């Protein structure tokens, strides 16, 4: 996504004879990782890495580079599966990449991708780091100028990436079976299953809702151990969070663990009033049952503390999203809510948390089992940030901030993190424990509307959490959701049109007309936070060493050609923050600049 379009950095790989090759072979030619000079010409050689599903984009980039004096090789791979190994081996000059800001805030659009040490970053630039951290402390009316400086540095001054376009978000719905009005298409967050309903409501407990996703190998069902297209939607529906995002990226308590939330004056303390009508679900005999354990403040504190601690689990992939959390604690002193003012000075925290409640706050309790909202007994959690950081709320809406069971996770994760052995240690959320076969031993505890029962190579089966907000508007409508693993978009569209799936999130722009022309389907379309771009190799190629060479590539790219190819269903982008912050920057193709920078590069090689 991630989130969403998947909050996701795509770099792609070449696997030969079952292992990573430290040399790249394209067509009948071979060149080493150090080679940027073709054996047959003085033109700089550029190798572009991508998947077959992105071959159209690769061809457009190739043609534009060739026209501007480059010798281009395409390294087209059939799937996503092993991209990390090839990327780590450095077998590319440019990797066709994509990112979706699934939290609706610009910090997420840059921190993991471009900050030194970021979860998905392969670059290091002190000025970029400084600007990212500065913007994080600022409010929207302040950070526009800072993000402009960031974008200037990232793209136009140093040419670390080449922006291609901003995408729309579209999904096809079988309106003959599913009530399309109940299907949300949010700008950022993943598809929420709990609101979806059949036209014939008598089917709720008899028929599954059948949806699709491309990737069947799941990174982890522990929400902090993955942030990619394999699990973003699944974990979003399996774990409740302190807050959510509306379809237009506004932070809300609706449908979350919080009845209300409020920011304290100073923008460093955040208060959350918890609801008491969610229990964890577990799996018995492949069916969802109520575990009898309430989701409460101790689980929230445990979940957030492990989310921010990079050493809490092996292979922690989301800690940088939560590094601004200094502390999470249970508030039991009611007078604190009366003495602390809301941000901006408009009343007390207590007044904000009591807004719209049927029963006002009479008592704050430490034990989750003592909470009784109808009697005015509540739990409150306070989150404190390392510095003023309003964007923390967007991160708390991300799937990686999903609330897990303290009791259950601690009972599973008994290994020593420092000496973790994947050959014998089984961590919470390991996909093998939910995969049919000898290793199946489902230990999941789900705080969200659905829980994964089992999966295989073909599909994953989820069941409704029987103890999730019962009797409210957020209780799941449909009892079973089946997720079919269909990697190819054309195959997914065919399955939608044939009635094999009822919802296809991610309809390609070139296929909109097929959905719109099918009488039983409806196309839902919205602007998205998804940006496609070219990522330069920053370690072992000439493009890593030469800023001039990178800028020559940058100014070879004409975004209008992508927009025309996609029949107007793409938008211009200057970086991954383009859908979120209007910086005023624009990449304009300039052949004169290409010649200038190529000449400088060639002179430096003499």
């Amino acid at each position: 996504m991630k989130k969403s379009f998947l909050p996701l950095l795509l770099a792609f790989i070449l696997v030969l004879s079952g292992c990573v090759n430290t040399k790249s072979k394209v067509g009948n030619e071979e060149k080493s990782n150090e080679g940027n000079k073709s054996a047959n010409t003085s033109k700089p050689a550029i190798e572009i890495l991508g998947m077959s599903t992105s071959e159209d984009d690769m061809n457009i980039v190739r043609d534009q580079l060739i026209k501007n004096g480059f010798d281009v090789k395409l390294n087209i791979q059939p799937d996503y599966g092993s991209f990390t190994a090839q990327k780590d081996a450095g077998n590319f000059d440019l990797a066709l990449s994509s990112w979706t800001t699934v939290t609706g805030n610009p910090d997420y659009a840059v921190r993991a991708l471009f900050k030194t040490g970021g979860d998905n970053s392969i670059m290091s630039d002190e000025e970029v780091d400084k600007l990212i951290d500065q913007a994080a402390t600022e409010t929207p009316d302040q950070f526009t100028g800072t993000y402009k400086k960031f974008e200037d540095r990232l793209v136009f001054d140093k040419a670390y990436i080449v922006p291609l376009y901003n995408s729309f978000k579209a999904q096809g719905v079988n309106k003959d079976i599913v009530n399309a009005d109940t299907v949300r298409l949010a700008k950022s967050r993943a598809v929420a299953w709990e609101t979806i309903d059949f036209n014939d409501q008598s089917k709720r407990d008899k028929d599954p809702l059948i949806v699709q996703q491309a990737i069947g190998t799941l990174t982890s069902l522990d929400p902090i151990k993955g942030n990619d297209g394999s699990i973003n939607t699944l974990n979003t529906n399996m774990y409740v969070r302190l807050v959510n995002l509306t379809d237009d990226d506004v932070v809300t308590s609706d449908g979350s663990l919080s009845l209300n939330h409020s920011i304290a004056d100073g923008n460093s303390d955040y208060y959350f009033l918890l609801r008491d009508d969610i229990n964890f679900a577990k799996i018995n005999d492949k069916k969802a049952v109520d575990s009898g354990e309430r989701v409460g403040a101790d689980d929230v504190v445990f979940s957030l503390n492990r989310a921010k601690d990079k050493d809490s689990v092996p292979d922690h992939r989301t800690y940088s999203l939560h590094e601004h959390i200094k502390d999470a604690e249970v508030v039991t002193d009611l007078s604190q809510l009366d003495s602390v003012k809301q941000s901006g000075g408009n009343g007390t925290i207590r007044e904000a948390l009591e807004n719209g409640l049927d029963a006002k706050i009479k008592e704050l309790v430490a034990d989750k089992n003592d909470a009784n909202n109808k009697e005015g007994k509540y739990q409150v959690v306070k989150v404190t940030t390392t510095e003023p950081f309003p964007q923390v709320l967007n991160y708390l809406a991300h799937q990686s901030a999903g609330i897990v069971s303290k009791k259950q996770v601690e009972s599973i994760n008994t290994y020593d993190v420092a000496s973790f052995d994947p050959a014998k240690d089984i961590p919470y959320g390991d996909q093998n424990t939910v995969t049919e076969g000898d290793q199946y031993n489902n230990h999941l505890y789900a705080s969200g509307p659905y829980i994964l029962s089992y999966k295989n190579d073909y599909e994953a089966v989820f069941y409704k959490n029987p103890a999730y907000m019962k009797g409210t508007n957020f209780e799941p409508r449909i009892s079973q959701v089946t997720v079919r693993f269909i990697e190819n978009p054309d195959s997914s569209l065919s399955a939608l049109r044939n009635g094999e799936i009822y919802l296809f999130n991610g309809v390609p722009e070139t296929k909109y007309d097929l959905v719109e022309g099918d009488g039983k389907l409806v196309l839902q379309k919205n602007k998205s936070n998804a940006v496609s771009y070219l990522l330069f190799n920053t370690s072992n190629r000439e493009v890593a060493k030469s800023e001039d060479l990178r800028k020559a590539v940058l100014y070879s790219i004409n975004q209008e050609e992508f927009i025309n190819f996609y029949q107007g269903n793409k938008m211009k982008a200057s970086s991954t923050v383009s859908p979120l912050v209007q910086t005023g920057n624009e990449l304009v193709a300039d052949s004169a600049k290409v010649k200038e920078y190529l000449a400088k590069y060639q002179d430096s090689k003499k």
Side-chain angles (χ1 to χ4, degrees), residues 27-40:
N28 295 320
E29 298 187 41
E30 180 176 320
K31 65 186 182 68
S32 73
N33 286 340
E34 296 297 331
N36 260 88
K37 187 175 181 180
S38 168
N40 301 317

Side-chain angles (χ1 to χ4, degrees), residues 103-249:
T103 57
N105 64 310
D107 188 75
Y108 182 86
V110 298
R111 182 171 297 275
L113 293 179
F114 308 121
K115 195 170 188 293
T116 302
D119 297 333
N120 296 304
S121 177
I122 61 172
M123 59 172 281
S124 179
D125 185 293
E126 290 184 3
E127 182 64 20
V128 167
D129 293 349
K130 177 183 176 182
L131 291 167
I132 290 173
D133 286 337
Q134 178 183 336
T137 67
E138 298 173 337
T139 55
D141 60 327
Q142 299 169 323
F143 62 43
T144 297
T146 306
Y147 281 117
K148 183 183 187 309
K149 292 179 182 177
F150 158 82
E151 202 169 71
D152 288 341
R153 177 77 174 181
L154 180 78
V155 180
F156 301 100
D157 295 343
K158 305 299 290 185
Y160 291 124
I161 69 168
V162 180
L164 299 180
Y165 53 76
N166 172 208
S167 295
F168 285 94
K169 190 174 187 179
Q171 61 188 9
V173 182
N174 187 324
K175 64 181 181 181
D176 285 355
I177 297 174
V178 173
N179 181 349
D181 292 336
T182 67
V183 183
R184 297 171 56 183
L185 181 60
K187 186 176 181 182
S188 293
R189 69 168 290 178
V191 177
W193 298 337
E194 69 264 29
T195 65
I196 301 176
D197 206 352
F198 292 123
N199 291 320
D200 181 357
Q201 295 183 1
S202 68
K203 294 183 177 181
R204 288 175 171 177
D205 296 325
K206 295 184 295 184
D207 295 347
L209 170 68
I210 308 175
V211 300
Q212 165 274 350
Q213 80 169 31
I215 304 172
T217 301
L218 311 183
T219 303
S220 177
L221 283 312
D222 183 338
I224 67 173
K225 292 191 66 175
N227 185 21
D228 57 67
S230 76
I231 49 79
N232 281 341
T233 296
L234 309 188
N235 282 347
T236 293
N237 285 285
M238 279 231 301
Y239 299 99
V240 72
R241 295 156 302 283
L242 278 176
V243 288
N244 279 325
L245 293 178
T246 67
D247 292 350
D248 295 320
D249 288 347

Side-chain angles (χ1 to χ4, degrees), residues 46 48 57-68 70 72 94 96 156 161-165 532-534 536 550-562 572-573 586-591 594:
I46 297 292
I48 304 173
D57 286 350
M58 296 175 73
N59 286 334
I60 294 173
V61 172
R62 177 199 60 194
D63 293 345
Q64 291 179 354
L65 290 178
I66 289 174
K67 184 173 67 176
N68 281 278
F70 291 90
V72 181
L94 287 168
L96 191 61
F156 301 100
I161 69 168
V162 180
L164 299 180
Y165 53 76
S532 292
Y533 60 98
L534 298 168
F536 281 105
R550 297 197 301 271
K551 287 183 177 179
V553 172
L554 175 70
Y555 287 106
S556 297
I557 299 304
N558 185 342
Q559 294 186 358
E560 291 288 353
E561 292 186 10
F562 290 94
K572 288 188 175 183
E586 181 180 358
L587 175 62
V588 178
D590 191 328
S591 59
V594 175

Side-chain angles (χ1 to χ4, degrees), residues 250-313:
V250 177
V251 177
T252 179
S253 286
D254 290 347
S256 75
L257 184 58
S258 299
L259 291 167
N260 280 319
H261 70 276
S262 183
I263 307 174
D265 193 35
N267 295 342
S268 289
D269 292 328
Y270 304 78
Y271 291 83
F272 305 87
L273 185 75
L274 305 190
R275 59 192 308 142
D276 66 351
D277 59 352
I278 303 176
N279 281 8
F280 289 101
K282 66 178 182 178
I283 295 295
N284 280 347
D285 297 325
K286 291 192 174 181
K287 296 297 181 182
V289 299
D290 181 355
S291 71
E293 180 188 352
R294 179 180 291 178
V295 182
D298 58 333
D299 303 301
V300 173
V301 171
F302 173 75
S303 298
L304 297 187
N305 281 334
R306 70 194 296 265
K308 68 170 183 165
D309 179 8
K310 67 178 181 180
D311 297 320
S312 62
V313 292

